[in-house]
Amino acid sequence: MSSVRIFFREVGRAIRIVQLLRYPSDTPLRRRVTAATDKVEAFTGFSQRIGFGNGGVITGNDPVEQEKTA
């Protein structure tokens, strides 16, 4: 792995740690995270309700069958 890639991976980890440490004491941050999580969970519930054909999982490699499932 290149040194630039390792550098950016470590910077990303540091940013994540800072965010995790801020989370308990930062009320606006918690509200934003909760709102985003609620949106994702609502979409997941919606997609599960409308999913059909093997629970919405596309298992075949045939493009025509994938389109039918979608």
Side-chain angles (χ1 to χ4, degrees):
M1 199 180 305
S2 74
S3 59
V4 172
R5 204 170 184 185
I6 292 171
F7 171 77
F8 282 115
R9 183 184 65 197
E10 294 303 319
V11 169
R13 287 179 178 170
I15 291 170
R16 182 171 185 242
I17 289 170
V18 169
Q19 291 296 93
L20 288 172
L21 292 172
R22 280 182 48 206
Y23 185 82
S25 62
D26 191 342
T27 304
L29 175 63
R30 284 197 316 268
R31 286 186 182 139
R32 285 193 310 271
V33 170
T34 300
T37 303
D38 289 347
K39 286 180 185 179
V40 171
E41 289 176 355
F43 178 76
T44 301
F46 172 73
S47 64
Q48 287 175 348
R49 283 193 300 274
I50 65 167
F52 63 93
N54 198 24
V57 176
I58 299 175
T59 58
N61 290 331
D62 182 20
V64 174
E65 291 303 317
Q66 288 177 349
E67 189 172 344
K68 286 180 189 176
T69 301

